[in-house]
Amino acid sequence: MAPMKRWAARAGAGAGALVVLAGGAFWFGGGYDRWATDRALTSACDGVLPADGIRAALGERRLKSFDDRSEGGLDDPATSLRVTCGIGREPGENTGKDVGEGSVTVTVNGVPTLDREDRRYESLYPQVRTGSLPPAPLGQGWTGLVATDDSGSDAEATTAVLLDCVPGRGDLLVTVEANVDHLLDDSPFDNPDRRTAFARIATETAANASRRYGCDAELGEPLKTAPLPVNEDEYVAPADARGTCAGIAARGKTVARAWESQRGTAPYETCVLGDTRGDTTHVVTAHYGPYAEGALHDYVERAGDPDVTETGRRSGVLPNGAYWTTADCPTDAGSAFFTLSAPRDEARTQADRTYALATLKTFAERSAKAHGCAAPAEPSAPTDSSGKGPS
């Protein structure tokens, strides 16, 4: 019996060793990382994230979720849908090298926002972080945009997709903000494959969210590429502008450069004008859908000022000195909201005001026409008792 017991003990020890080895292989072979990543991706953001798409953008290292929140619904009469989550890389372990940091934050918003008073002191929708340069329309059948903001050792990009849901359901805005350390690549968003991988997170999340929340929107095509927004050195003379700055006149040394994107179906468009030194002198912006709603909220409601449109006014000057005008858009699309600001402006002369109003008029008319909206109201600048207008 003793030999049998010794054999059984050795067999048990061998089986235990195999279990340990198998567990070690699972752990060090990446099995646990894949399991943990799968669990994070399938549970975050109500399960609407594209797991394969996020892996393609952030790599195969272990990923973790953070700031996972969900409230409301498209069919909720009081609380708008708002789902937010983040996915980021875990630090490299036992590798002896820095894999760099990388994360995406995904937000799914129902449009319009119903509980605006509850959100008075915050933005209704994620901001388009473009620095000072225009975003690019996403195209390929999608109403959306791509914006990048390279600074220092980090690279940031925003991709936004707006879905037109079936009648009675409102709309859906999906926003993906990516932040990637340059250690991963010399130029993360200049790389078309990487840029497209991040943009696909937004379009694939939008497709999943449309099904998940009963939006049933008409979707665009699977992304084959993602546009690269204009760079600082890619300016043109105003007379040569053919996109969002088309038709805007130059003005001596003050307005000698224009940064623009192509016309498309983006719900947020800008034209940036600058002087001969490259300093920004005017920024003209078109806001549609949630961006129009959000702009009015940020410009007026959060500051505690009266709604500039409540009195029936269709154009004028905002409390911050920016000129604005509106245009009626197709049913259920709301009104478009156009603004012109002068970041480096000081005291405005009559000539300054005349040029600014003419620039806003040209920009708004062309943008509204491209989006199928009515002609905007004539931009105006009410004068004070001295006749000098806003300063």
Side-chain angles (χ1 to χ4, degrees):
M1 293 297 293
M4 182 65 71
K5 289 181 180 180
R6 286 196 295 270
W7 179 87
R10 286 197 296 270
L18 289 175
V19 170
V20 171
L21 288 173
F26 176 76
W27 183 280
F28 291 105
Y32 177 78
D33 285 349
R34 287 191 292 272
W35 174 83
T37 295
D38 287 342
R39 184 178 181 184
L41 294 179
T42 55
S43 61
C45 270
D46 272 0
V48 299
L49 299 182
D52 292 342
I54 289 180
R55 284 195 185 91
L58 292 178
E60 289 295 333
R61 295 204 61 82
R62 180 179 173 183
L63 304 176
K64 62 179 180 180
S65 63
F66 56 92
D67 293 340
D68 194 6
R69 294 172 293 172
S70 177
E71 64 178 348
L74 280 183
D75 56 354
D76 191 321
T79 303
S80 292
L81 175 70
R82 183 162 63 169
V83 178
T84 303
C85 67
I87 299 292
R89 290 190 183 93
E90 288 276 24
E93 296 178 359
N94 304 320
T95 62
K97 66 177 183 178
D98 189 343
V99 298
E101 295 182 356
S103 65
V104 294
T105 300
V106 180
T107 307
V108 181
N109 291 95
V111 180
T113 295
L114 303 177
D115 45 340
R116 288 173 62 164
E117 185 59 33
D118 295 340
R119 302 180 186 178
R120 178 169 181 174
Y121 300 107
E122 59 179 295
S123 293
L124 300 182
Y125 306 103
Q127 302 291 313
V128 179
R129 299 178 180 177
T130 63
S132 60
L133 298 176
L138 188 56
Q140 300 163 86
W142 296 97
T143 298
L145 56 90
V146 177
T148 58
D149 183 12
D150 284 325
S151 60
S153 62
D154 294 330
E156 297 179 356
T158 300
T159 305
V161 174
L162 179 63
L163 298 182
D164 182 10
C165 301
V166 294
R169 305 292 288 179
D171 294 332
L172 272 179
L173 176 66
V174 175
T175 309
V176 174
E177 298 173 326
N179 192 312
V180 182
D181 192 290
H182 271 181
L183 291 174
L184 293 168
D185 195 293
D186 289 337
S187 51
F189 297 112
D190 283 345
N191 180 319
D193 291 336
R194 179 158 292 155
R195 186 171 64 253
T196 303
F198 279 106
R200 283 183 183 137
I201 295 175
T203 56
E204 292 173 5
T205 297
N208 293 339
S210 181
R211 292 187 289 269
R212 169 72 173 79
Y213 303 112
C215 170
D216 297 328
E218 184 176 345
L219 305 176
E221 304 168 4
L223 285 191
K224 296 180 180 179
T225 185
L228 181 65
V230 64
N231 288 322
E232 189 174 359
D233 59 354
E234 294 178 319
Y235 59 86
V236 297
D240 296 328
R242 297 293 180 268
T244 52
C245 294
I248 294 176
R251 191 182 179 211
K253 295 182 178 180
T254 304
V255 180
R257 301 181 182 185
W259 291 265
E260 62 175 356
S261 65
Q262 295 181 350
R263 286 275 184 222
T265 56
Y268 180 93
E269 300 175 341
T270 63
C271 163
V272 178
L273 304 173
D275 60 22
T276 53
R277 297 177 300 180
D279 294 330
T280 299
T281 58
H282 301 79
V283 178
V284 206
T285 307
H287 311 78
Y288 294 91
Y291 294 105
E293 179 192 359
L296 278 168
H297 176 76
D298 289 343
Y299 280 126
V300 179
E301 292 176 356
R302 291 178 64 186
D305 294 310
D307 188 336
V308 294
T309 63
E310 276 187 353
T311 60
R313 291 166 55 198
R314 303 280 292 168
S315 68
V317 182
L318 293 169
N320 67 356
Y323 298 107
W324 66 276
T325 187
T326 59
D328 293 328
C329 293
T331 305
D332 296 333
S335 296
F337 184 65
F338 308 94
T339 60
L340 180 145
S341 60
R344 302 177 65 86
D345 202 12
E346 297 178 0
R348 295 178 182 172
T349 65
Q350 182 58 47
D352 294 332
R353 290 193 291 275
T354 299
Y355 176 81
L357 293 173
T359 297
L360 178 57
K361 176 181 172 67
T362 298
F363 173 85
E365 286 178 346
R366 292 185 177 230
S367 179
K369 183 177 180 180
H371 283 259
C373 300
E378 185 77 18
S380 60
T383 58
D384 58 25
S385 58
S386 67
K388 295 180 179 180
S391 60

